Amino acid sequence: MTMAAGKDLKTILTKLQYSDDAKVVQQITAQMKQVQARMAGIKQKLVVMSGKGGVGKSMTTVNLALALARQGAKVGLLDVDLNGPCVPRMMGLHGQSLRMTPEGAQPPVGPLGIKVASMDFFLDDASPVRWKGPMDLSPVWLGLMEMNVIREFLADVVWGELDYLLADLPPGAAADKPPVIAGFIPDLAGAIVVTTPSEVASDVVQKSVTYARDMGIRVLGVVENMSEYRCPSCGAENELFEGNTEAMCEVLDLPLLGRIPFDRKFAKTFDKGQPLLDLEYPTIQKYQEIVGRIQALLDYKKVLAEKL
């Protein structure tokens, strides 16, 4: 059945102005204004995404934040995953919480002075998030409820003055989920995409990059994680996967920002909440090099904007 002229869904939606009793649109608008106010003192806002789970995205986000902090930058770390928040544990902050003040929720401070805000601070151990009521019947309602919780969370956190905010986005069940959440962050400087040299991961990551670009999000480049396996005994590195991340980057017209080996000794320190901070450690040096490339891209964007 076709709708009469002027009665299609798009036309109807454009004419609505807070017409529902719950004032949903008004609430969302107010939330986003509050998020913008909370983040006004942050110079560069970056998201780390993949679209594919299991590629070490959180590990990458945490270590990029640490690499920036080693340079003396004021850094914030945001973890918005509802069912898999792991940043606080990796930073040795599991069990801590946001400090509620009249100004808003103050995030706890981790290694190298990094401020950390995570959904983990609100969740019970090993308890998945479940929605009650009609959301059980509709994935659309479930998605809307999840997005509303994340927006409310972002509107409450007081960051203060920061040089960088890095957001660790959930992989999601579809390539569109991370870009949608990234859209909640005002004045986003760009996205960093994490993949492994696996062809399966590359296929999903490409879709996520395409969707992000369609939403107007600038993708800065790709970090290849688990490129090789570093032997804990002798330090020798060997390939873990057969794939071609360079070819994927060429197709997407993106720079490969760097390659990080799977390093069991290194990963173990984050599992225990005692992150390795030794600047001389080889894997840490690789993260420092990646951060240098990211900063160069951000500086180039700034210079280009000034010229225009």
Side-chain angles (χ1 to χ4, degrees), residues 5-291:
K7 291 292 184 181
D8 61 287
L9 184 59
K10 186 175 181 180
T11 303
I12 292 170
L13 288 174
T14 57
K15 292 180 179 179
L16 290 178
Q17 187 174 7
Y18 311 148
S19 58
D20 58 311
D21 292 338
K23 299 186 183 298
V24 173
V25 177
Q26 190 174 13
Q27 290 174 31
I28 291 173
T29 303
Q31 280 178 336
M32 291 311 297
K33 285 182 178 178
Q34 180 75 347
V35 171
Q36 193 162 18
R38 296 294 193 195
M39 295 189 177
I42 302 170
K43 294 177 183 176
Q44 301 280 13
K45 307 175 194 76
L46 301 166
V47 294
V48 182
M49 55 186 281
S50 68
K52 181 75 178 72
V55 297
K57 176 178 50 56
S58 295
M59 184 74 158
T60 302
T61 310
V62 166
N63 277 285
L64 292 178
L66 289 168
L68 288 165
R70 283 190 198 94
Q71 297 180 343
K74 296 177 182 177
V75 182
L77 191 47
L78 173 64
D79 180 6
V80 294
D81 198 340
L82 281 171
N83 272 312
C86 54
V87 167
R89 182 179 294 277
M90 297 169 76
M91 293 287 281
L93 296 174
H94 185 63
Q96 294 200 33
S97 62
L98 298 166
R99 184 170 58 88
M100 299 304 172
T101 70
E103 292 75 31
Q106 302 282 348
V109 178
L112 304 183
I114 296 174
K115 295 180 179 180
V116 179
S118 172
M119 299 303 297
D120 178 68
F121 297 144
F122 301 99
L123 304 173
D124 295 329
D125 287 348
S127 297
V129 175
R130 293 188 178 94
W131 306 107
K132 302 295 183 183
M135 286 71 71
D136 295 333
L137 306 176
S138 169
V140 174
W141 274 110
L142 188 148
L144 287 172
M145 182 61 73
E146 184 175 356
M147 296 302 139
N148 194 52
V149 168
I150 292 171
R151 268 195 308 267
E152 188 67 33
F153 171 58
L154 295 179
D156 287 341
V157 178
V158 180
W159 293 104
E161 300 291 324
L162 293 177
D163 296 308
Y164 297 93
L165 175 68
L166 273 71
D168 178 25
L169 301 187
D176 62 330
K177 187 174 181 181
V180 168
I181 297 175
F184 293 168
I185 300 174
D187 304 316
L188 190 65
I192 298 143
V193 176
V194 182
T195 188
T196 63
S198 157
E199 291 183 13
V200 172
S202 295
D203 289 345
V204 178
V205 166
Q206 286 188 62
K207 293 177 183 177
S208 194
V209 169
T210 301
Y211 199 97
R213 283 173 163 170
D214 287 346
M215 290 190 64
I217 296 171
R218 181 191 182 210
V219 181
L220 296 174
V222 176
V223 174
E224 183 186 87
N225 200 26
M226 306 183 209
S227 298
E228 298 167 312
Y229 172 69
R230 182 188 294 278
C231 176
S233 301
C234 66
E237 296 182 352
N238 296 285
E239 286 187 358
L240 270 173
F241 300 96
E242 289 186 10
N244 194 338
T245 303
E246 285 185 339
M248 182 192 77
C249 289
E250 190 173 336
V251 168
L252 295 171
D253 191 25
L254 285 174
L256 178 58
L257 298 171
R259 291 186 167 98
I260 302 296
F262 179 81
D263 187 334
R264 192 176 72 180
K265 176 184 174 183
F266 186 63
K268 189 176 179 180
T269 68
F270 288 87
D271 280 345
K272 293 185 176 299
Q274 299 169 341
L276 188 62
L277 303 174
D278 180 10
L279 184 56
E280 300 302 314
Y281 193 78
T283 303
I284 288 178
Q285 289 181 358
K286 290 180 182 289
Y287 281 112
Q288 296 296 147
E289 291 167 4
I290 291 171
V291 156

